[in-house]
Amino acid sequence: MKKRFAAIVLIILIAIQFVPYGKDHKNPPVVSEPQWDSPKTREYFFRACKDCHSNETEWPWYSNIAPMSWLIQRDVEEGREHFNISEWGVKRENDGEEAAEEVREGEMPPWFYLIAHPEARLSKEEKKKFITGLIKTFGDKKRDDDHHDED
């Protein structure tokens, strides 16, 4: 019974490799980039965020193996849709003013990304500098919302 179950699982794992979603790893061209407040902010961004929030994604080997390829493709598509520095000023839906809040609250980069990309983990001091740089570069929606509440 165990051998039969293992065989079925193996057949399914092989079969899902033929699903085309998640295998097209072409990066669209970089159209424009924001005016960074400093080279250090850009460096932190490219270290911790660029794979999902730019058109300069580095696709790891496991991004070719389903079902990981599906998850990674979805994360990159969603990340680019909400915030893509490679199309800065071109897409209206770039949510740059939320970037500092996402990092401040520990939502970005996601914990599961950090497992495979330990270089994306910022020290407390780096994170503090990065948040400050993001605010100077993109603004801060949370602070803007708090300011509007006072009006």
Side-chain angles (χ1 to χ4, degrees):
M1 188 68 165
K2 288 182 182 180
K3 285 185 179 183
R4 186 179 188 138
F5 178 74
I8 291 170
V9 169
L10 182 61
I11 290 169
I12 291 170
L13 286 173
I14 291 170
I16 66 174
Q17 300 313 309
F18 295 98
V19 175
Y21 181 74
K23 307 250 169 119
D24 180 18
H25 296 152
K26 294 178 184 168
N27 286 328
V30 174
V31 179
S32 64
E33 203 173 299
Q35 183 67 40
W36 299 98
D37 78 302
S38 72
K40 204 67 171 164
T41 301
R42 185 181 189 276
E43 176 189 321
Y44 291 144
F45 183 90
F46 272 74
R47 193 170 118 198
C49 311
K50 79 158 171 61
D51 281 338
C52 292
H53 297 287
S54 80
N55 293 346
E56 299 180 59
T57 303
E58 291 181 30
W59 301 94
W61 64 269
Y62 53 86
S63 67
N64 293 298
I65 301 169
M68 286 301 295
S69 60
W70 305 341
L71 298 171
I72 293 167
Q73 184 71 42
R74 181 189 56 94
D75 285 348
V76 170
E77 287 174 359
E78 189 175 301
R80 287 177 178 170
E81 180 183 325
H82 293 292
F83 180 58
N84 186 345
I85 60 128
S86 297
E87 297 177 2
W88 198 255
V90 177
K91 290 176 58 177
R92 280 185 283 152
E93 52 279 338
N94 255 326
D95 295 330
E97 68 278 356
E98 294 179 5
E101 184 176 355
E102 297 280 328
V103 174
R104 184 185 302 118
E105 293 177 357
E107 293 179 24
M108 287 292 155
W111 65 270
F112 53 86
Y113 181 80
L114 294 172
I115 292 170
H117 302 274
E119 72 281 359
R121 188 176 311 278
L122 302 174
S123 70
K124 283 185 178 185
E125 187 61 32
E126 290 172 326
K127 187 175 176 180
K128 184 178 174 183
K129 290 177 182 177
F130 185 41
I131 291 167
T132 300
L134 289 172
I135 291 169
K136 288 179 180 177
T137 302
F138 304 116
D140 189 356
K141 184 178 182 186
K142 184 177 181 180
R143 291 187 182 169
D144 291 344
D145 288 346
D146 291 345
H147 181 68
H148 290 317
D149 290 344
E150 294 171 4
D151 294 338

XYZ file of all heavy atoms in Angstrom, residues 7-77:
594
model
N 4.186 5.683 -5.415
C 4.205 5.682 -6.876
C 3.218 6.715 -7.431
O 3.531 7.436 -8.382
C 3.885 4.287 -7.418
N 2.044 6.791 -6.838
C 1.029 7.761 -7.273
C 1.532 9.186 -7.046
O 1.408 10.038 -7.926
C -0.319 7.512 -6.559
C -0.927 6.202 -7.058
C -1.283 8.674 -6.777
C -2.129 5.731 -6.265
N 2.109 9.438 -5.880
C 2.655 10.768 -5.582
C 3.761 11.112 -6.573
O 3.810 12.232 -7.100
C 3.164 10.831 -4.121
C 3.979 12.098 -3.885
C 2.001 10.751 -3.150
N 4.634 10.173 -6.873
C 5.717 10.406 -7.826
C 5.163 10.720 -9.217
O 5.632 11.649 -9.883
C 6.647 9.190 -7.879
C 7.856 9.330 -8.798
C 8.747 10.490 -8.350
C 8.645 8.028 -8.826
N 4.157 9.988 -9.643
C 3.539 10.231 -10.954
C 2.931 11.636 -10.994
O 3.092 12.366 -11.976
C 2.485 9.153 -11.283
C 3.194 7.832 -11.559
C 1.610 9.570 -12.458
C 2.270 6.625 -11.637
N 2.262 12.030 -9.926
C 1.663 13.373 -9.863
C 2.756 14.436 -9.915
O 2.639 15.421 -10.655
C 0.785 13.527 -8.610
C -0.478 12.660 -8.737
C 0.409 14.991 -8.374
C -1.299 12.550 -7.471
N 3.824 14.253 -9.143
C 4.925 15.227 -9.143
C 5.568 15.342 -10.520
O 5.935 16.444 -10.947
C 5.974 14.859 -8.096
C 5.581 15.115 -6.646
C 6.630 14.555 -5.684
C 5.367 16.602 -6.398
N 5.694 14.255 -11.218
C 6.242 14.302 -12.575
C 5.258 14.988 -13.515
O 5.628 15.850 -14.314
C 6.614 12.888 -13.068
C 7.813 12.365 -12.265
C 6.919 12.897 -14.568
C 8.127 10.901 -12.483
N 3.986 14.636 -13.411
C 2.969 15.195 -14.308
C 2.846 16.712 -14.170
O 2.701 17.417 -15.181
C 1.616 14.530 -14.054
N 2.926 17.226 -12.955
C 2.742 18.675 -12.777
C 3.910 19.474 -13.349
O 3.794 20.679 -13.547
C 2.472 19.069 -11.299
C 3.678 18.790 -10.412
C 1.213 18.400 -10.792
C 3.518 19.298 -8.982
N 5.012 18.816 -13.647
C 6.141 19.517 -14.262
C 5.803 20.000 -15.668
O 6.449 20.893 -16.199
C 7.385 18.633 -14.299
C 7.866 18.183 -12.941
C 7.951 19.284 -11.901
O 8.540 20.340 -12.134
N 7.351 19.047 -10.750
N 4.756 19.424 -16.267
C 4.359 19.793 -17.625
C 3.366 20.955 -17.665
O 3.001 21.424 -18.736
C 3.809 18.570 -18.371
C 4.867 17.524 -18.578
C 4.960 16.437 -17.729
C 5.792 17.662 -19.598
C 5.954 15.483 -17.899
C 6.791 16.713 -19.784
C 6.871 15.616 -18.932
N 2.943 21.428 -16.503
C 2.086 22.611 -16.453
C 2.982 23.809 -16.761
O 3.999 24.021 -16.086
C 1.416 22.761 -15.068
C 0.637 24.056 -14.985
C 0.525 21.565 -14.770
N 2.640 24.600 -17.783
C 3.551 25.670 -18.209
C 3.650 26.862 -17.257
O 4.632 27.598 -17.295
C 2.976 26.106 -19.563
C 1.557 25.690 -19.534
C 1.474 24.491 -18.647
N 2.660 27.104 -16.404
C 2.694 28.274 -15.522
C 3.907 28.204 -14.592
O 4.186 27.171 -13.990
C 1.408 28.370 -14.697
C 1.381 29.581 -13.786
C 1.181 30.856 -14.305
C 1.587 29.454 -12.426
C 1.171 31.968 -13.489
C 1.576 30.559 -11.594
C 1.368 31.811 -12.133
O 1.368 32.913 -11.309
N 4.598 29.325 -14.484
C 5.728 29.412 -13.568
C 7.061 29.113 -14.213
O 8.079 29.090 -13.533
N 7.076 28.913 -15.503
C 8.334 28.554 -16.163
C 8.859 29.657 -17.081
O 9.954 29.565 -17.589
C 8.132 27.280 -16.977
C 7.543 26.141 -16.159
C 8.520 25.052 -15.912
C 7.967 24.100 -14.888
N 7.767 22.796 -15.257
N 8.067 30.684 -17.312
C 8.484 31.781 -18.183
C 9.208 32.816 -17.333
O 8.599 33.654 -16.683
C 7.274 32.412 -18.878
C 7.672 33.555 -19.791
O 8.858 33.646 -20.162
O 6.794 34.362 -20.126
N 10.507 32.747 -17.335
C 11.306 33.606 -16.467
C 11.926 34.772 -17.210
O 13.048 35.174 -16.938
C 12.383 32.785 -15.762
C 11.817 31.768 -14.836
N 12.466 30.607 -14.540
C 10.658 31.720 -14.158
C 11.732 29.897 -13.701
N 10.635 30.552 -13.457
N 11.176 35.320 -18.120
C 11.655 36.501 -18.829
C 11.328 37.733 -17.983
O 10.202 37.912 -17.547
C 10.982 36.614 -20.188
C 11.366 35.501 -21.129
C 10.639 35.621 -22.440
C 10.982 34.438 -23.319
N 10.111 34.345 -24.477
N 12.322 38.542 -17.768
C 12.105 39.795 -17.055
C 11.775 40.883 -18.066
O 12.513 41.063 -19.032
C 13.349 40.187 -16.263
C 13.554 39.342 -15.032
O 12.610 38.890 -14.416
N 14.800 39.113 -14.681
N 10.672 41.622 -17.844
C 10.382 42.752 -18.733
C 11.517 43.773 -18.643
O 12.282 43.788 -17.679
C 9.082 43.343 -18.171
C 8.525 42.299 -17.262
C 9.682 41.480 -16.787
N 11.626 44.647 -19.621
C 12.697 45.656 -19.570
C 12.494 46.640 -18.422
O 11.369 46.892 -17.990
C 12.590 46.364 -20.917
C 11.218 46.098 -21.402
C 10.790 44.783 -20.813
N 13.596 47.169 -17.947
C 13.554 48.231 -16.940
C 13.263 49.519 -17.698
O 14.015 49.908 -18.582
C 14.886 48.332 -16.175
C 14.881 49.528 -15.235
C 15.160 47.038 -15.417
N 12.137 50.160 -17.353
C 11.699 51.370 -18.045
C 12.253 52.610 -17.341
O 12.794 53.510 -17.967
C 10.153 51.425 -18.119
C 9.696 52.691 -18.806
C 9.613 50.204 -18.828
N 12.089 52.645 -16.039
C 12.591 53.768 -15.251
C 12.725 53.314 -13.812
O 12.199 52.282 -13.421
C 11.643 54.964 -15.349
O 10.395 54.638 -14.786
N 13.424 54.104 -13.030
C 13.650 53.780 -11.633
C 13.404 55.040 -10.814
O 13.609 56.147 -11.314
C 15.101 53.309 -11.469
C 15.331 52.454 -10.258
C 16.743 51.875 -10.216
O 17.118 51.130 -11.134
O 17.465 52.186 -9.242
N 12.975 54.898 -9.566
C 12.754 56.108 -8.762
C 14.062 56.847 -8.482
O 15.146 56.282 -8.603
C 12.146 55.569 -7.460
C 12.491 54.145 -7.411
C 12.700 53.677 -8.812
N 13.919 58.083 -8.099
C 15.072 58.876 -7.668
C 15.316 58.515 -6.209
O 14.613 58.981 -5.319
C 14.768 60.378 -7.821
C 15.925 61.279 -7.475
C 17.059 61.137 -8.467
O 16.842 61.021 -9.662
N 18.279 61.134 -7.965
N 16.281 57.630 -5.958
C 16.570 57.177 -4.601
C 17.155 58.310 -3.772
O 17.889 59.145 -4.292
C 17.540 55.999 -4.638
C 17.007 54.810 -5.361
C 17.266 54.458 -6.651
C 16.105 53.836 -4.849
N 16.591 53.320 -6.974
C 15.866 52.906 -5.885
C 15.474 53.644 -3.628
C 15.022 51.807 -5.728
C 14.633 52.547 -3.471
C 14.424 51.646 -4.507
N 16.873 58.307 -2.484
C 17.439 59.330 -1.607
C 18.936 59.131 -1.429
O 19.665 60.081 -1.175
C 16.734 59.329 -0.245
C 17.199 58.200 0.645
O 17.079 57.026 0.241
O 17.703 58.486 1.749
N 19.400 57.867 -1.564
C 20.830 57.584 -1.416
C 21.149 56.247 -2.080
O 20.271 55.396 -2.232
C 21.214 57.513 0.073
O 20.708 56.324 0.650
N 22.406 56.050 -2.433
C 22.804 54.754 -2.987
C 22.588 53.609 -1.985
O 22.328 52.483 -2.374
C 24.295 54.926 -3.297
C 24.500 56.397 -3.411
C 23.493 57.026 -2.485
N 22.675 53.898 -0.701
C 22.508 52.870 0.333
C 21.076 52.350 0.353
O 20.862 51.142 0.486
C 22.895 53.446 1.704
C 23.292 52.393 2.681
C 24.590 51.757 2.234
C 25.137 50.836 3.301
N 26.166 49.947 2.766
N 20.090 53.240 0.214
C 18.691 52.799 0.177
C 18.481 51.885 -1.023
O 17.845 50.833 -0.908
C 17.730 54.006 0.099
O 17.946 54.833 1.244
C 16.275 53.564 0.065
N 19.029 52.273 -2.154
C 18.917 51.439 -3.360
C 19.586 50.085 -3.122
O 19.064 49.038 -3.492
C 19.554 52.143 -4.555
C 19.364 51.385 -5.861
C 20.042 52.117 -7.037
N 19.698 51.523 -8.302
C 20.317 50.464 -8.824
N 21.313 49.881 -8.171
N 19.941 49.981 -10.004
N 20.739 50.093 -2.494
C 21.462 48.848 -2.196
C 20.615 47.927 -1.310
O 20.495 46.728 -1.576
C 22.786 49.161 -1.509
C 23.568 47.929 -1.078
C 24.769 48.288 -0.212
O 25.437 49.299 -0.494
O 25.019 47.539 0.754
N 20.029 48.477 -0.252
C 19.172 47.669 0.629
C 17.974 47.124 -0.142
O 17.593 45.975 0.019
C 18.671 48.492 1.818
C 19.734 48.870 2.831
C 19.691 50.094 3.468
C 20.775 48.005 3.158
C 20.653 50.461 4.405
C 21.742 48.357 4.087
C 21.671 49.580 4.707
O 22.622 49.928 5.636
N 17.377 47.973 -0.984
C 16.223 47.541 -1.768
C 16.597 46.375 -2.679
O 15.890 45.366 -2.732
C 15.652 48.690 -2.599
C 14.428 48.287 -3.353
C 13.176 48.430 -2.775
C 14.514 47.728 -4.619
C 12.031 48.018 -3.454
C 13.385 47.312 -5.302
C 12.149 47.457 -4.721
N 17.705 46.513 -3.384
C 18.110 45.453 -4.309
C 18.517 44.188 -3.572
O 18.369 43.088 -4.100
C 19.212 45.943 -5.251
C 18.653 46.597 -6.474
C 18.089 47.864 -6.404
C 18.651 45.948 -7.691
C 17.545 48.470 -7.521
C 18.104 46.541 -8.818
C 17.547 47.806 -8.739
N 18.968 44.313 -2.359
C 19.332 43.152 -1.555
C 18.105 42.420 -1.016
O 18.073 41.193 -1.003
C 20.213 43.613 -0.392
C 20.902 42.492 0.318
C 21.932 43.047 1.266
N 21.573 42.661 2.614
C 22.029 43.227 3.707
N 22.858 44.236 3.640
N 21.657 42.794 4.880
N 17.074 43.158 -0.622
C 15.942 42.559 0.081
C 14.638 42.505 -0.705
O 13.741 41.748 -0.333
C 15.700 43.315 1.396
N 14.501 43.280 -1.769
C 13.175 43.446 -2.383
C 13.111 43.221 -3.893
O 12.031 42.989 -4.427
C 12.654 44.856 -2.106
S 12.757 45.396 -0.394
N 14.218 43.341 -4.594
C 14.179 43.421 -6.058
C 13.603 42.192 -6.749
O 13.051 42.312 -7.833
C 15.553 43.729 -6.619
C 16.466 42.530 -6.674
C 17.565 42.731 -7.684
C 18.588 41.663 -7.616
N 18.153 40.311 -7.862
N 13.733 41.013 -6.154
C 13.257 39.818 -6.853
C 11.760 39.845 -7.103
O 11.296 39.284 -8.098
C 13.647 38.544 -6.096
C 15.100 38.163 -6.330
O 15.680 38.584 -7.347
O 15.644 37.423 -5.490
N 10.997 40.482 -6.242
C 9.543 40.550 -6.433
C 9.050 41.944 -6.825
O 7.926 42.084 -7.294
C 8.814 40.115 -5.164
S 9.021 38.365 -4.799
N 9.863 42.957 -6.619
C 9.396 44.333 -6.831
C 10.215 45.090 -7.871
O 10.359 46.316 -7.789
C 9.370 45.081 -5.504
C 8.403 44.498 -4.526
N 7.044 44.637 -4.674
C 8.602 43.741 -3.416
C 6.437 44.002 -3.678
N 7.354 43.446 -2.907
N 10.747 44.347 -8.843
C 11.446 44.969 -9.968
C 11.373 44.016 -11.151
O 10.907 42.881 -11.022
C 12.908 45.260 -9.612
O 13.696 44.092 -9.729
N 11.862 44.477 -12.282
C 11.953 43.615 -13.459
C 13.345 42.995 -13.564
O 13.777 42.602 -14.634
C 11.638 44.414 -14.728
C 10.199 44.861 -14.776
O 9.360 44.392 -14.024
N 9.898 45.789 -15.666
N 14.026 42.921 -12.431
C 15.374 42.353 -12.385
C 15.425 41.132 -11.480
O 16.388 40.904 -10.753
C 16.366 43.418 -11.940
C 16.413 44.602 -12.899
C 17.392 45.668 -12.487
O 18.597 45.342 -12.369
O 16.966 46.820 -12.289
N 14.381 40.327 -11.549
C 14.260 39.127 -10.729
C 15.365 38.135 -11.070
O 15.639 37.884 -12.236
C 12.888 38.461 -10.967
O 11.870 39.414 -10.684
C 12.705 37.236 -10.096
N 15.981 37.580 -10.035
C 16.921 36.477 -10.215
C 16.140 35.204 -9.889
O 15.680 35.025 -8.770
C 18.127 36.637 -9.300
C 19.002 37.806 -9.705
C 20.223 37.957 -8.821
O 20.723 36.935 -8.296
O 20.686 39.097 -8.671
N 15.985 34.361 -10.888
C 15.168 33.151 -10.754
C 16.044 31.995 -10.284
O 16.892 31.527 -11.036
C 14.507 32.816 -12.088
C 13.630 33.911 -12.598
C 13.973 34.903 -13.477
C 12.266 34.146 -12.267
N 12.901 35.732 -13.707
C 11.830 35.281 -12.977
C 11.346 33.490 -11.442
C 10.551 35.791 -12.892
C 10.057 33.991 -11.351
C 9.667 35.122 -12.055
N 15.857 31.508 -9.058
C 16.681 30.392 -8.562
C 16.325 29.080 -9.275
O 15.263 28.961 -9.895
C 16.313 30.328 -7.076
C 14.973 30.956 -6.973
C 14.877 31.965 -8.078
N 17.179 28.101 -9.172
C 16.987 26.820 -9.850
C 15.646 26.193 -9.510
O 14.990 25.617 -10.364
C 18.134 25.854 -9.544
C 18.209 25.460 -8.084
C 18.928 26.079 -7.112
C 17.524 24.383 -7.452
N 18.738 25.464 -5.897
C 17.874 24.408 -6.080
C 16.640 23.400 -7.883
C 17.382 23.486 -5.155
C 16.149 22.479 -6.969
C 16.515 22.528 -5.613
N 15.220 26.298 -8.242
C 13.976 25.657 -7.820
C 12.735 26.371 -8.356
O 11.624 25.872 -8.226
C 13.913 25.519 -6.296
C 14.157 26.808 -5.541
C 13.133 27.700 -5.284
C 15.428 27.118 -5.085
C 13.360 28.879 -4.602
C 15.668 28.301 -4.402
C 14.627 29.166 -4.166
O 14.863 30.338 -3.494
N 12.928 27.525 -8.999
C 11.788 28.214 -9.607
C 11.366 27.540 -10.911
O 10.413 27.961 -11.551
C 12.100 29.687 -9.854
O 13.089 29.829 -10.846
N 12.065 26.478 -11.283
C 11.716 25.696 -12.467
C 10.993 24.401 -12.123
O 10.651 23.629 -13.009
C 12.987 25.343 -13.260
C 13.619 26.580 -13.856
O 13.005 27.255 -14.662
N 14.835 26.877 -13.451
N 10.789 24.154 -10.842
C 10.196 22.895 -10.409
C 8.840 23.156 -9.748
O 8.762 23.842 -8.731
C 11.138 22.170 -9.419
C 12.487 21.901 -10.088
C 10.504 20.878 -8.916
C 13.567 21.431 -9.164
N 7.788 22.601 -10.357
C 6.443 22.733 -9.786
C 6.359 21.863 -8.532
O 6.993 20.810 -8.478
C 5.409 22.300 -10.812
N 5.644 22.284 -7.526
C 4.755 23.436 -7.442
C 5.450 24.722 -6.989
O 4.835 25.770 -6.954
C 3.706 23.001 -6.431
C 4.443 22.114 -5.487
C 5.457 21.392 -6.359
N 6.767 24.662 -6.660
C 7.471 25.886 -6.237
C 7.438 26.947 -7.338
O 7.299 28.135 -7.058
C 8.929 25.576 -5.858
C 9.088 24.875 -4.532
S 8.410 25.811 -3.146
C 9.471 27.229 -3.125
N 7.557 26.509 -8.587
C 7.547 27.464 -9.702
C 6.246 28.253 -9.729
O 6.241 29.440 -10.040
C 7.759 26.732 -11.027
O 6.734 25.786 -11.259
N 5.147 27.605 -9.388
C 3.838 28.288 -9.378
C 3.804 29.353 -8.294
O 3.328 30.464 -8.498
C 2.703 27.306 -9.147
C 2.645 26.150 -10.098
C 3.239 26.062 -11.326
C 1.961 24.926 -9.892
N 2.959 24.853 -11.896
C 2.181 24.124 -11.043
C 1.202 24.408 -8.865
C 1.652 22.855 -11.188
C 0.666 23.143 -9.004
C 0.897 22.383 -10.151
N 4.273 28.999 -7.106
C 4.251 29.931 -5.973
C 5.160 31.132 -6.231
O 4.778 32.278 -5.969
C 4.677 29.219 -4.695
C 3.786 28.058 -4.247
C 4.441 27.298 -3.103
C 2.411 28.553 -3.865
N 6.345 30.871 -6.741
C 7.289 31.951 -6.997
C 6.758 32.875 -8.091
O 6.811 34.100 -7.956
C 8.676 31.385 -7.358
C 9.267 30.683 -6.127
C 9.608 32.481 -7.869
C 10.487 29.824 -6.418
N 6.232 32.301 -9.167
C 5.677 33.112 -10.257
C 4.546 34.003 -9.745
O 4.483 35.185 -10.058
C 5.160 32.213 -11.383
C 4.666 32.983 -12.594
C 5.781 33.618 -13.378
O 6.820 33.002 -13.588
N 5.590 34.839 -13.826
N 3.666 33.427 -8.931
C 2.545 34.203 -8.377
C 3.058 35.329 -7.488
O 2.586 36.470 -7.580
C 1.600 33.296 -7.581
C 0.404 34.032 -7.000
C -0.391 33.151 -6.048
N 0.457 32.642 -4.979
C 0.595 33.213 -3.785
N -0.053 34.320 -3.510
N 1.374 32.698 -2.867
N 4.039 35.051 -6.639
C 4.587 36.077 -5.754
C 5.232 37.214 -6.548
O 5.060 38.387 -6.223
C 5.606 35.478 -4.790
C 4.973 34.681 -3.662
O 3.740 34.779 -3.484
O 5.712 33.953 -2.964
N 5.972 36.873 -7.600
C 6.629 37.905 -8.421
C 5.572 38.727 -9.152
O 5.647 39.968 -9.174
C 7.648 37.276 -9.399
C 8.143 38.301 -10.407
C 8.821 36.669 -8.632
N 4.577 38.069 -9.745
C 3.525 38.805 -10.454
C 2.778 39.746 -9.514
O 2.540 40.904 -9.847
C 2.529 37.828 -11.095
C 3.079 37.114 -12.303
C 2.147 36.038 -12.847
O 1.053 35.817 -12.269
O 2.517 35.406 -13.849
